[in-house]
Structure formats: structure tokens, C-alpha cells
Amino acid sequence: HGEGLGDHGVLEHGTNNFDELVRVPLILRIPGMPGGRRLEGLAQHEDLMPTILGLVDLEAPTGIDGFDLLPWIRGEAQQSPRAEVFGRRKSIPGHPDQYYARNAERKWIGRLDGPGQIFRPDRDPRELAAGPGDGPPASLEAVVGDETGPGRTRRVDAETRRALEALGYAE
């Protein structure tokens, strides 16, 4: 994740979904591939597993959410296979869950139960000029519906919970 260094009045991480916190570089060093290339596009953590498996000539399991980024990285594809990214800031004391959906031209930030804010990353990369937005995009609702449906509670063992609490990611 990124870190707020005064942008949007934030000096930490985890309190919002502005790009300085959620848009971080993916830097890869791949043996046999020339370095120094810079690609502009979207990727998510879920894309790491299929990409790494592709590097060692293994197929990713069916049904996972990630994309193999290798064709894009190798220059065989003009753009990332991921057209949109999604994220959620878990609730923190006094603040409800907040979500975002971002593509090249538009970023929506807000709660699922109301209107959000719209930003234009192509025109306003620092996200300073928000416009009013409708409720969440249908693409985000589809993803979140998968995450939060009945029976989707995730259990965390005590050791992992202590580690997350020490890092400030759990209460």
C-alpha cells in the first residue's frame, strides 16, 4: 500500500481510498527480459499468482480472480488485461467501509449504501476535483456481492490476528 504524506490531509495509511494509498507500483525483475520498461495500466494483487505461475510455465487454477499479466509485460499485448480495479477500506472506528472502482478514465469512491464521489484520473491525477457520483458501479457491486454473501465469513487464527493487530490492520 501507499502512504499519505499530507495528500488529502492524511499522514498515514488505511483511512481512505485515494490513489496515494491504493495505487502503488508493481516492479518486476524477470530473468531473461530486458529491464527499464515502464507500462501504464491497471493490475491487482490477484494478478500476481497467475503471472508468477506463468513465469514458471504452470497454469493458474480455474476460477481465480487474477489475470496473467505476462503477455502485457512481454509486449505481446498492448494493454493490461485488467480494465478495472476494485478495493475496500475496512471500517475503522468512526468510519464505515469505503470502496472504490477505478478504470483509466474514472474512479468512484464511496459507501455501498449511497452516492460516492467521481474523480477523473486522466485529467486530475491528484484527485483534487471530485464530482458527485451515483451509487456504486454495477461492476463493483458484482465483486462485493461475491465477497460479502452469506457464509463468506473469514476466520483468522490467533497468531495471524496478533500480527495484523501489531501492524494496525485489525482491532
Side-chain angles (χ1 to χ4, degrees):
H1 56 71
E3 190 72 30
L5 299 174
D7 302 293
H8 298 99
V10 175
L11 292 173
E12 67 234 9
H13 64 270
T15 58
N16 65 50
N17 282 317
F18 291 114
D19 273 1
E20 65 265 12
L21 299 181
V22 300
R23 187 170 185 234
V24 295
L26 171 61
I27 301 172
L28 300 171
R29 181 175 183 271
I30 301 173
M33 290 188 71
R37 287 188 60 218
R38 181 183 173 116
L39 302 172
E40 291 290 332
L42 299 173
Q44 285 197 184
H45 288 114
E46 291 89 341
D47 302 329
L48 292 175
M49 183 180 70
T51 302
I52 292 168
L53 288 173
L55 280 170
V56 295
D57 293 323
L58 294 174
E59 280 195 38
T62 58
I64 63 167
D65 293 331
F67 292 100
D68 182 352
L69 302 175
L70 280 180
W72 179 46
I73 293 167
R74 289 182 175 142
E76 299 162 5
Q78 294 296 315
Q79 58 192 26
S80 169
R82 185 171 291 283
E84 193 169 23
V85 292
F86 308 98
R88 176 178 86 188
R89 183 211 64 215
K90 297 276 284 180
S91 60
I92 54 178
H95 300 279
D97 284 5
Q98 185 185 73
Y99 294 81
Y100 72 90
R102 184 187 199 282
N103 60 34
E105 297 85 29
R106 179 178 184 242
K107 181 175 179 184
W108 178 91
I109 299 176
R111 295 172 25 189
L112 294 179
D113 61 355
Q117 295 178 299
I118 299 290
F119 295 91
R120 294 293 311 257
D122 56 337
R123 297 181 195 159
D124 177 26
R126 294 185 59 211
E127 298 173 323
L128 298 176
D134 296 330
S139 55
L140 175 64
E141 288 183 326
V143 170
V144 172
D146 289 346
E147 278 185 14
T148 60
R152 294 294 303 244
T153 303
R154 295 188 178 149
R155 303 244 183 255
V156 176
D157 62 71
E159 181 180 349
T160 302
R161 174 162 283 290
R162 281 192 298 276
L164 291 170
E165 287 170 350
L167 292 169
Y169 291 115
E171 297 171 18

